[in-house]
Amino acid sequence: MTPQAADRSEQVGTSRRSKLTPEREQEFFDAVLHQIRECGYDAVTMDGIAASTRCSKSTLYRQWRTKPQFVAAALRANRRARFAGIDTGTLAGDLREAARCAGQWSAEDTTLLQALGHAVLQDRELAQALREALVEPEVAALQEIIRRGVERGEVAAGNPALEYVPAQIFGVLRVRPILEGDTADPDYLLRFVEAAVLPALGLR
């Protein structure tokens, strides 16, 4: 069965929306995020996604009425908490591991953030989906890392630098490509944490 026939066969009665398999839906999401990274948000069209996934444009519009809604759905479907599994037993160790982890996916995520930069300022739903997919899960995981460090007595709960740890890590991920024309790779992020984050927390 061709992808077009599969799309048609999955329509449900008179419903406006088609019922897609999770695999087919993820194929659409992967395609739109890939094209945004490659071409930029403005250059991506529903026609282009339909052609690359070999489906009818109407299939996409039945699922997602507009490109912003489609992209927002793709972002939410790719929500990941990559810091969530970090637990080395010490706050300094956890922050170093978070730096290494962030450096491994910084190129992919930074490209997406930059490609969506102007669009998210214009579309509230898109901005919220971006935060839910790429920011909030990681911030929550960093806050849990910090909470454990405070509970172990490694850093005082009132240390004013604690509040800014997520901003420091996410800030350098976004800014290094602008300042130096290069991504914040694991080595760079580890050096940043050692030089700026740990001293602010009173850690070695």
Side-chain angles (χ1 to χ4, degrees), residues 11-200:
Q11 293 180 15
V12 181
T14 60
S15 172
R16 176 177 173 78
R17 290 172 60 89
S18 303
K19 184 178 180 181
L20 301 174
T21 66
E23 294 78 13
R24 185 64 167 147
E25 188 174 62
Q26 189 61 49
E27 184 181 349
F28 292 144
F29 292 155
D30 291 344
V32 71
L33 295 182
H34 173 74
Q35 289 196 22
I36 290 171
R37 290 186 181 99
E38 291 292 314
C39 309
Y41 178 83
D42 291 339
V44 173
T45 65
M46 297 293 250
D47 283 336
I49 299 301
S52 69
T53 56
R54 291 176 295 176
C55 76
S56 66
K57 185 171 65 175
S58 61
T59 295
L60 299 181
Y61 278 111
R62 276 193 297 269
Q63 296 295 319
W64 308 281
R65 294 183 180 182
T66 66
K67 184 173 79 168
Q69 289 180 5
F70 182 23
V71 175
L75 288 168
R76 290 189 172 103
N78 284 271
R79 175 188 173 112
R80 288 170 287 179
R82 288 163 290 198
F83 292 158
I86 295 174
D87 188 357
T88 67
T90 68
L91 179 54
D94 287 351
L95 292 174
R96 291 187 183 101
E97 186 59 30
R100 295 187 188 95
C101 180
Q104 291 171 356
W105 45 260
S106 67
E108 182 178 78
D109 282 3
T110 299
T111 300
L112 184 60
L113 285 167
Q114 291 174 332
L116 288 169
H118 182 63
V120 298
L121 298 177
Q122 297 179 312
D123 190 285
R124 183 175 297 177
E125 181 182 3
L126 196 59
Q128 181 58 33
L130 183 63
R131 286 193 296 270
E132 290 176 5
L134 300 182
V135 178
E136 292 176 358
E138 311 304 351
V139 170
L142 284 172
Q143 289 172 339
E144 174 62 16
I145 285 171
I146 290 168
R147 184 194 64 78
R148 292 198 306 262
V150 171
E151 286 189 350
R152 287 191 295 258
E154 297 173 78
V155 61
N159 187 314
L162 289 174
E163 178 184 355
Y164 302 105
V165 171
Q168 284 180 293
I169 293 177
F170 279 94
V172 74
L173 284 168
R174 185 71 184 272
V175 169
R176 194 190 186 199
I178 298 172
L179 292 180
E180 302 181 21
D182 200 0
T183 58
D185 59 20
D187 179 67
Y188 181 89
L189 276 170
L190 184 58
R191 288 187 283 114
F192 174 78
V193 165
E194 294 280 2
V197 179
L198 298 186

